[in-house]
Amino acid sequence: MTEVRYDWTKEEIAEIYHTPLLDLVYKAATIHRENTDYAEVQISSLISIKTGGCSEDCAYCPQAARYNTGVNVHAIMPKDEVIAAAEKAKAGGASRLCMGAAWREVRDNRDFDKVIDMVKAVNSLDMEVCCTLGMLTESQAQRLADAGLYAYNHNLDTSEEDYKRIITTRTYDERLDTLKHVRKAKISVCSGGIIGLGETVADRISMLKTLSNLPKHPESVPINALVPVAGTPLADQPRVSVWDMVRMIATTRIIMPKTVVRLSAGRTEMSVVEQAFCFMAGANSIFAGEKLLTTPNPSFDTDMAMFELLGLSPRKAFKNGRPNAVKEEMEVAGD
């Protein structure tokens, strides 16, 4: 079994990243098979429960209020619509529902109360629940944990050195603080980044170093390819090479061998063969469903056909156990 390390250096990660491609994929595939069921893929569905109007200036994001991207602002989604979306996702094969809100940070108000109710409602469907709501305080993370939240997504996006080029409205340390609060509340951490922002390879390696040197590796690391959106500062960025995605996935798999590595945004531009290379390199999670918040994504039917072709199978919900709050609630109900 591969040793799990938390002291990777940039030089070590760079050496892995620059390994000849086929050798890199072979090494990552070998580690993947040693540490998990390589044919099992965790499927998540991502919905936008509050769209547009965000005060952040993330250079890639169509939901930033300062950019004219054609995204209409919508208030928080009614709970019954969230439940309907969750039921549709579950029927399509998803084991996790991720709810995203275009907020800079969570505020202790009625909208957050509504999110707490949504978390409880989706839990009752026997699905894992993930949220991405912006920055969290300790107490807010604990409220989500008490409601039974399974995972919280808060991506680093890029390296600390490159961060101010992409976002100026919050700091890198604030991102890391939110991850600390999530971890303290014993919620599963989901944190990764985006490639194709105009970053250097050194930036990619630095971001992976930060993630791999956290006190505990994120349970999930999404690797996103930028989907350029008209009206954003990065609208004219060229499509990132699929081989860059393969290198990022393989490197992530090698340095964080037990982490779920998610092939995330950008899949609509990939052929089945290109996605197969990503799975071979160690990806074992995807987003499925027609949209990722506001950008296109392959449908459930398309993905299930690909799974059948490649011999992959969806991972069941709660394979690694339920959140403590949900466990306790079920135990009480059973008494």
Side-chain angles (χ1 to χ4, degrees):
M1 195 67 70
T2 310
E3 177 191 4
V4 178
R5 291 178 49 191
Y6 304 91
D7 59 351
W8 291 96
T9 66
K10 289 182 182 179
E11 292 75 20
E12 288 174 316
I13 298 172
E15 184 177 357
I16 293 168
Y17 184 94
H18 290 294
T19 299
L21 186 65
L22 294 182
D23 291 340
L24 176 63
V25 172
Y26 178 78
K27 182 175 182 180
T30 301
I31 287 175
H32 192 33
R33 282 156 174 74
E34 288 174 351
N35 287 276
T36 188
D37 181 352
Y38 71 92
E40 187 177 72
V41 178
Q42 191 273 318
I43 303 177
S44 296
S45 183
L46 176 62
I47 62 170
S48 179
I49 60 170
K50 186 271 176 185
T51 304
C54 183
S55 62
E56 298 276 33
D57 67 352
C58 306
Y60 54 80
C61 185
Q63 301 201 66
R66 66 193 68 202
Y67 308 138
N68 183 15
T69 62
V71 170
N72 295 320
V73 177
H74 293 288
I76 196 161
M77 185 184 290
K79 185 172 74 172
D80 60 345
E81 291 183 18
V82 172
I83 294 171
E87 290 173 336
K88 180 180 178 182
K90 184 177 181 180
S95 60
R96 181 179 299 182
L97 184 76
C98 298
M99 300 185 289
W103 293 333
R104 179 179 187 273
E105 60 201 344
V106 172
R107 298 186 184 279
D108 295 307
N109 57 20
R110 290 181 184 175
D111 280 348
F112 187 39
D113 293 340
K114 291 176 182 177
V115 172
I116 295 295
D117 287 342
M118 291 175 190
V119 171
K120 293 176 180 178
V122 177
N123 257 323
S124 70
L125 300 177
D126 202 34
M127 291 185 78
E128 298 171 4
V129 192
C130 176
C131 284
T132 179
L133 312 169
M135 293 185 290
L136 285 177
T137 64
E138 278 190 33
S139 61
Q140 290 163 346
Q142 190 57 55
R143 276 195 72 190
L144 287 166
D146 292 342
L149 188 73
Y150 187 89
Y152 194 84
N153 168 260
H154 200 62
N155 290 333
L156 298 184
D157 291 342
T158 187
S159 69
E160 185 173 7
E161 298 83 356
D162 187 44
Y163 188 75
K164 289 182 180 178
R165 182 179 65 87
I166 304 300
I167 304 162
T168 68
T169 47
R170 76 172 94 166
T171 67
Y172 210 70
D173 282 344
E174 285 176 319
R175 295 225 172 213
L176 293 172
D177 285 344
T178 289
L179 296 185
K180 289 176 186 174
H181 298 157
V182 171
R183 182 63 75 196
K184 185 174 181 180
K186 298 182 180 179
I187 297 169
S188 173
V189 171
C190 175
S191 185
I194 308 169
I195 66 172
L197 301 171
E199 76 287 346
T200 65
V201 170
D203 288 318
R204 297 173 187 176
I205 289 164
S206 178
M207 180 188 73
L208 291 179
K209 178 181 182 292
T210 299
L211 291 169
S212 64
N213 285 12
L214 290 171
K216 183 179 180 182
H217 293 163
E219 282 77 7
S220 178
V221 173
I223 303 296
N224 297 275
L226 175 69
V227 178
V229 177
T232 64
L234 299 181
D236 297 325
Q237 279 294 120
R239 178 192 169 195
V240 70
S241 164
V242 66
W243 306 119
D244 286 358
M245 287 289 286
V246 169
R247 284 192 181 278
M248 281 294 288
I249 288 167
T251 304
T252 304
R253 170 54 61 217
I254 291 167
I255 66 175
M256 291 180 271
K258 297 185 182 298
T259 288
V260 171
V261 181
R262 181 174 296 135
L263 173 59
S264 295
R267 276 204 310 125
T268 49
E269 303 297 326
M270 292 184 185
S271 67
V272 171
V273 172
E274 290 173 334
Q275 291 180 70
F277 252 96
C278 292
F279 290 123
M280 193 180 300
N284 59 340
S285 177
I286 60 169
F287 279 120
E290 289 78 9
K291 278 194 172 184
L292 292 184
L293 298 180
T294 60
T295 56
N297 196 54
S299 69
F300 284 112
D301 290 345
T302 301
D303 285 329
M304 289 306 101
M306 177 177 66
F307 275 30
E308 185 174 355
L309 175 67
L310 300 180
L312 302 174
S313 59
R315 172 172 160 169
K316 293 183 179 179
F318 304 111
K319 182 170 181 179
N320 293 333
R322 292 174 176 270
N324 290 332
V326 177
K327 282 183 184 176
E328 292 166 3
E329 185 177 316
M330 291 184 70
E331 288 168 0
V332 170
D335 294 339

